[in-house]
Amino acid sequence: MVHHEEHTVDTIRRTTTGKKDEVLKKVLVANRGEIAIRVFRSAHEMAMKTVALFSYEDRLSMHRYKADEAYQIGDPSKFTPVGAYLAQDEIIRIAKLHDVSMIHPGYGFLSENAGFAQKCADNGIAFVGPDAHVIESLGDKTKARDIAIAAGVPVVPGTPGPIKSIKEAEAFVKQYGFPVIIKAAMGGGGRGMRVVRSQADFAEGFERATSEAKQAFGDGTVFIERFLDKPRHIEVQLLADSQGNVVHLFERDCSVQRRHQKVVEIAPAKSLTPSVRDAILNDAIKLAKHVKYKNAGTAEFLVDQQDRHYFIEINPRIQVEHTITEEITGIDIVAAQIQIAAGISLPELGLTQERIQIRGFAIQCR
């Protein structure tokens, strides 16, 4: 008589991953709302146990009820409603107390915090994202530019490093002319950015950008780039494993923006010629391999009116708009993130470049 193994959670986990992996047991999401629920859904499909965190003010939020276990972060008198989700030591303490094997940071909050990624590693918890030193090198836009230049990927002409005085800025303007854009080195979300179109407005624009950067990020360092008028903003979804394999899941067009924030995303981009698309996809993979990238990430490029493309940054995390790439490729990016963090390779997941195909278009509006 043939003995059939009982269909338990553990056997399902083994068949989903192809590995008896201790790491794929329990995932904590250090985030709230929609992205936490999204991660729980993939984790449950892989028969993992899930843990939610919530601040006192979020105690009735939907995300806490979607997980198998949920814990309040610390004492409400010590943390603000949002600050609770940034309490690194408290989050690690809860994770260790409840035998969590991996932490998914979602987007925002601690998702691009190299210190937090390191704390997870130091405590024997898998961080669902790149290694701390990779996050660190990509977090500063000036360092990211240097990496791209070293990898032979085109970047927008700009100052070779961060600048502190207006005198240093004027040398660049003499060489490249106007319009220029002044950007905060530690910036994001459209803050600490000023477009200057003439010499007359230059001093005021520089002053404004540095003070805004100081206020928003505690660091007034800026750099200057040639400003591209009405460029297309193209981003490439990447997946990379710890064995050095990298694949792209094609690109998204996020050119429709308001105050430097994306509003409409289209996958794949419909405005690119095949040769420009191939060049962008190849450069994205070249960059990821150069920095030994691991997990999901997005390489962002601008394409000017002359079809020249320039690298701007890599986001070392999952993005809000990952869902439209999932729609067109049929690949669950969050599940891939979790499995990569457990040490599973892309070929083992069946994710080789020739097998990744696209069907139709998907649009996200937010």
Side-chain angles (χ1 to χ4, degrees):
M1 184 183 148
V2 181
H3 173 69
H4 290 288
E5 198 173 25
E6 213 177 316
H7 200 51
T8 63
V9 162
D10 283 329
T11 61
I12 299 168
R13 185 185 289 118
R14 284 208 292 279
T15 50
T16 354
T17 63
K19 282 192 176 187
K20 294 181 184 178
D21 205 319
E22 285 302 297
V23 185
L24 288 165
K25 273 197 169 162
K26 199 185 227 185
V27 62
L28 177 149
V29 180
N31 214 301
R32 65 195 288 272
E34 173 201 28
I35 187 61
I37 294 169
R38 165 74 192 88
V39 177
F40 296 150
R41 192 175 76 223
S42 280
H44 285 146
E45 284 173 5
M46 297 192 307
M48 292 177 73
K49 291 194 171 77
T50 54
V51 180
L53 295 177
F54 58 93
S55 60
Y56 174 75
E57 290 76 5
D58 275 347
R59 64 196 179 280
L60 298 178
S61 287
M62 173 95 70
H63 76 274
R64 78 163 281 193
Y65 297 106
K66 292 284 185 186
D68 300 320
E69 304 167 34
Y71 304 102
Q72 185 178 312
I73 309 166
D75 178 344
S77 65
K78 289 189 187 143
F79 300 112
T80 63
V82 172
Y85 296 97
L86 298 171
Q88 301 184 27
D89 294 336
E90 182 64 16
I91 291 169
I92 298 280
R93 185 188 69 78
I94 293 169
K96 289 178 78 172
L97 194 63
H98 300 287
D99 294 324
V100 163
S101 53
M102 55 169 49
I103 293 180
H104 194 304
Y107 40 65
F109 294 131
L110 296 169
S111 62
E112 296 182 49
N113 190 304
F116 184 63
Q118 192 57 54
K119 275 182 185 169
C120 290
D122 293 345
N123 284 280
I125 299 167
F127 176 77
V128 184
D131 296 332
H133 69 273
V134 174
I135 298 176
E136 179 124 14
S137 63
L138 296 173
D140 182 332
K141 291 193 175 95
T142 46
K143 278 189 197 163
R145 271 179 73 86
D146 295 341
I147 289 167
I149 293 163
V153 172
V155 295
V156 179
T159 50
I163 52 171
K164 291 196 163 63
S165 75
I166 197 155
K167 273 204 168 58
E168 294 173 66
E170 281 173 340
F172 174 80
V173 172
K174 271 204 183 86
Q175 190 179 350
Y176 291 102
F178 291 98
V180 297
I181 184 165
I182 304 166
K183 288 180 173 180
M186 303 307 288
R191 288 174 302 178
M193 279 186 181
R194 280 277 177 280
V195 175
V196 180
R197 294 180 185 275
S198 70
Q199 187 66 51
D201 304 329
F202 189 59
E204 189 199 353
F206 187 84
E207 213 51 53
R208 284 233 174 132
T210 45
S211 70
E212 206 174 290
K214 186 122 185 71
Q215 219 173 344
F217 310 107
D219 183 341
T221 312
V222 295
F223 61 98
I224 298 182
E225 286 179 354
R226 173 192 284 164
F227 179 64
L228 307 179
D229 251 332
K230 300 191 177 65
R232 281 157 292 167
H233 193 148
I234 306 295
E235 55 185 28
V236 179
Q237 177 68 59
L238 296 165
L239 281 177
D241 64 21
S242 45
Q243 279 90 55
N245 301 301
V246 183
V247 294
H248 67 74
L249 272 53
F250 294 91
E251 78 292 339
R252 302 182 283 260
D253 184 319
C254 47
S255 305
V256 182
Q257 300 186 6
R258 180 171 179 268
R259 294 183 188 158
H260 305 289
Q261 296 275 21
K262 298 164 191 173
V263 179
V264 178
E265 299 262 356
I266 303 167
K270 62 176 192 27
S271 59
L272 295 179
T273 61
S275 61
V276 175
R277 163 182 280 145
D278 288 346
I280 291 174
L281 296 175
N282 289 338
D283 277 348
I285 285 184
K286 198 195 287 184
L287 265 166
K289 286 189 167 167
H290 184 80
V291 296
K292 297 186 169 51
Y293 195 85
K294 190 182 81 183
N295 219 274
T298 303
E300 304 207 1
F301 296 85
L302 294 177
V303 180
D304 68 13
Q305 308 289 336
Q306 290 77 42
D307 266 355
R308 294 175 299 200
H309 69 281
Y310 307 97
F311 165 76
I312 44 176
E313 63 177 329
I314 287 188
N315 286 310
R317 55 176 167 82
I318 193 89
Q319 286 184 289
V320 178
E321 56 272 24
H322 74 277
T323 51
I324 54 171
T325 295
E326 292 182 325
E327 289 286 332
I328 63 162
T329 58
I331 291 165
D332 183 333
I333 297 170
V334 173
Q337 273 195 301
I338 290 170
Q339 289 166 312
I340 289 166
I344 298 168
S345 72
L346 292 175
E348 283 178 280
L349 294 172
L351 292 172
T352 51
Q353 197 64 69
E354 62 278 4
R355 291 184 67 175
I356 300 166
Q357 304 290 330
I358 41 180
R359 292 197 311 269
F361 285 84
I363 298 176
Q364 182 187 81
C365 309
R366 48 177 160 129

